[in-house]
Amino acid sequence: MNYLTAAKKYEEELRAFKDDLHAHPEESFAEFRTTAKIRAAMEDLGAEIIDLGMETGVTAMLRGEREGSTVMLRADIDSVKLDNGCAHLCGHDLHTACLLGAAKVLFENRRRICGNVVFLFQPAEEFTAGAKALADHGLFEKLRPRALFGLHCRPEIAVGKAAVKEGALMARKSNFRITIHGVAGHAGMPHKYKDVIVAGAAVISALQTIVSRCADPLETLVCSISSIHSGNEENFPTDSLTMSGDIRSYSDEIHEMALGRLKEISSQVAAGYGCSAQVEITPKVPALRNSHHMSEIAYKAAAAAVGEENIVCPAPSLASEDFAVLAQHTDSFFYWLGTGTEGTENCPWHNPAFTTDDRAIVIGAALLAESAAQFLEKESAAKNFTLA
């Protein structure tokens, strides 16, 4: 079965679907129009809608004509929140169209399916909260998938190619907020107040040593300060400063070390300036890793969808993906799908000029469909062998 050929029949329809989503972006947990559109499309295919009790997102199932395991395919549906609204600057509209395309070709060939395929249209990836919400609403207890596949567009990879990478692919992420408390006063009498601005500057500088002096230089670690808020009128030094940022790594051991040093450095450096520091850590997502077992299946599926000559294995990214939360519950694999156009500037995720080469939609649809089919065929063969 050639799923790429099958998907190409729906190319115009899938592009129109993606364009409609692109024109009507919705932020995390507010994807009401998007949800309604996806649900209608899946009901038209005859999919069984699974009610998980969530307001947004769609979970739908194809029950194959032969008994077998359950495999899940996932796409995220939200857009990037901006100061003045939101926009699809990360390709989630394309991911959604890819998954719809996979559903169309799998339903068209359901007689070949040995088992069940779950189509998971996930809300709130940009808030890195949607995957956890689905798990908390009983997704895995109700459906018990044996495997999970997903993909993300990658503008740095040319359209027509797919990345199959074993091991670490995307980073573990923890957010932090540091509040430095001092004593307010008058700018003309610096000896009578405890200056949180000076203390904050020293803390920011000292935190850079977490990467440069506390971590093995062969390990990958980022500690970023993304915002600083303090002060008001020029001659009224304030008594508090708040900064926020995140720590990212592939290694859990390095990550825990960095969190520990973040607390120690913030507290001790602030104390050196007569101030105190309160540190709040918010775990967001674990590192995303592809296992050897799932990588073998993914490689075979990608070879069928794009050809071995178009499979690439790039370096991992320190961006984070809440697919990793779902991956804690079952075997999984995550692809990068090439959406860049050769010979042009392809802006990265979240850039205002971000775009996708939509020729990738049918390729992504075929890749997801092949992944489900390859996994279910392998599961069926293994069970038959065991029973024999």
Side-chain angles (χ1 to χ4, degrees), residues 38 42 48 50 52 54 56-62 71-77 92 95-96 98-100 102-103 117-123 130-135 138-140 143 145 147-151 322-323 325-327 330 368:
I38 295 167
M42 294 304 293
E48 176 185 344
I50 309 298
L52 295 175
M54 293 180 60
T56 60
V58 176
T59 304
M61 179 180 283
L62 179 162
V71 63
M72 186 180 292
L73 305 176
R74 174 267 201 180
D76 38 16
I77 68 173
H92 296 189
H95 305 163
T96 302
C98 289
L99 185 52
L100 177 59
V117 183
V118 174
F119 304 94
L120 180 63
F121 296 88
Q122 180 205 305
K132 184 178 185 303
L134 285 165
L139 174 69
F140 292 95
L143 299 177
L148 167 69
F149 292 90
L151 56 75
D322 79 347
F323 181 92
V325 174
L326 301 174
T330 190
L368 290 172

Side-chain angles (χ1 to χ4, degrees), residues 174-180 202-211 214 221-226 243-248 254-270 277-282:
S174 295
N175 290 353
F176 61 80
R177 180 179 298 275
I178 302 169
T179 304
I180 298 176
V203 168
I204 292 170
S205 180
L207 289 178
Q208 307 313 303
T209 64
I210 296 175
V211 174
C214 301
L221 175 68
V222 167
C223 177
S224 300
I225 306 294
S226 302
M243 65 182 79
S244 64
D246 57 63
I247 288 175
R248 299 170 185 262
I254 291 294
H255 203 94
E256 293 300 326
M257 178 280 294
L259 292 176
R261 291 298 291 144
L262 178 84
K263 295 174 183 177
E264 293 167 358
I265 290 172
S266 301
S267 176
Q268 293 170 11
V269 170
Q278 175 187 357
V279 180
E280 304 167 68
I281 305 293
T282 305

Side-chain angles (χ1 to χ4, degrees), residues 121-174:
F121 296 88
Q122 180 205 305
E125 191 284 327
E126 291 295 349
F127 283 5
T128 58
K132 184 178 185 303
L134 285 165
D136 290 346
H137 279 75
L139 174 69
F140 292 95
E141 291 79 7
K142 289 182 180 180
L143 299 177
R144 301 190 180 281
R146 289 274 293 117
L148 167 69
F149 292 90
L151 56 75
H152 201 295
C153 66
R154 194 71 197 266
E156 296 87 352
I157 300 173
V159 66
K161 300 182 183 295
V164 177
K165 186 180 186 312
E166 182 178 332
L169 186 72
M170 302 184 79
R172 175 181 170 183
K173 177 187 177 185
S174 295

Side-chain angles (χ1 to χ4, degrees), residues 36-54:
K37 188 172 179 67
I38 295 167
R39 182 174 182 131
M42 294 304 293
E43 288 177 337
D44 285 346
L45 290 175
E48 176 185 344
I49 304 299
I50 309 298
D51 184 8
L52 295 175
M54 293 180 60

Side-chain angles (χ1 to χ4, degrees), residues 54-347:
M54 293 180 60
E55 291 186 322
T56 60
V58 176
T59 304
M61 179 180 283
L62 179 162
R63 295 190 184 273
E65 294 190 2
R66 291 179 284 171
E67 291 293 323
S69 300
T70 296
V71 63
M72 186 180 292
L73 305 176
R74 174 267 201 180
D76 38 16
I77 68 173
D78 57 332
S79 66
V80 177
K81 185 177 181 181
L82 305 172
D83 290 340
N84 57 348
C86 53
H88 275 293
L89 302 178
C90 205
H92 296 189
D93 47 353
L94 180 136
H95 305 163
T96 302
C98 289
L99 185 52
L100 177 59
K104 285 180 177 293
V105 298
L106 288 170
F107 268 95
E108 182 182 310
N109 295 278
R110 68 187 305 169
R111 69 186 185 282
R112 299 172 179 268
I113 305 299
C114 301
N116 308 312
V117 183
V118 174
F119 304 94
L120 180 63
F121 296 88
Q122 180 205 305
E125 191 284 327
E126 291 295 349
F127 283 5
T128 58
K132 184 178 185 303
L134 285 165
D136 290 346
H137 279 75
L139 174 69
F140 292 95
E141 291 79 7
K142 289 182 180 180
L143 299 177
R144 301 190 180 281
R146 289 274 293 117
L148 167 69
F149 292 90
L151 56 75
H152 201 295
C153 66
R154 194 71 197 266
E156 296 87 352
I157 300 173
V159 66
K161 300 182 183 295
V164 177
K165 186 180 186 312
E166 182 178 332
L169 186 72
M170 302 184 79
R172 175 181 170 183
K173 177 187 177 185
S174 295
N175 290 353
F176 61 80
R177 180 179 298 275
I178 302 169
T179 304
I180 298 176
H181 299 283
V183 177
H186 191 287
M189 293 175 267
H191 58 296
K192 292 190 175 182
Y193 65 90
K194 304 299 181 184
D195 194 337
V196 295
I197 304 293
V198 174
V203 168
I204 292 170
S205 180
L207 289 178
Q208 307 313 303
T209 64
I210 296 175
V211 174
S212 68
R213 290 297 179 268
C214 301
D216 183 334
L218 298 180
E219 292 284 355
T220 303
L221 175 68
V222 167
C223 177
S224 300
I225 306 294
S226 302
S227 73
I228 307 170
H229 299 279
S230 185
N232 38 59
E233 298 297 328
E234 63 181 69
N235 63 335
F236 294 106
T238 185
D239 61 357
S240 69
L241 176 149
T242 300
M243 65 182 79
S244 64
D246 57 63
I247 288 175
R248 299 170 185 262
S249 69
Y250 304 127
S251 163
D252 289 335
E253 181 181 358
I254 291 294
H255 203 94
E256 293 300 326
M257 178 280 294
L259 292 176
R261 291 298 291 144
L262 178 84
K263 295 174 183 177
E264 293 167 358
I265 290 172
S266 301
S267 176
Q268 293 170 11
V269 170
Y273 289 81
C275 299
S276 63
Q278 175 187 357
V279 180
E280 304 167 68
I281 305 293
T282 305
K284 297 301 288 185
V285 294
L288 176 54
R289 299 182 179 91
N290 290 325
S291 70
H292 176 71
H293 163 65
M294 292 296 289
S295 297
E296 288 182 330
I297 299 170
Y299 190 93
K300 187 176 179 181
V306 302
E308 283 193 80
E309 70 279 9
N310 290 313
I311 296 175
V312 296
C313 185
S317 168
L318 277 165
S320 300
E321 235 290 350
D322 79 347
F323 181 92
V325 174
L326 301 174
Q328 291 182 310
H329 295 268
T330 190
D331 288 343
S332 65
F333 191 88
F334 199 70
Y335 300 96
W336 282 332
L337 178 68
T339 55
T341 303
E342 292 191 61
T344 65
E345 181 181 3
N346 296 289
C347 295

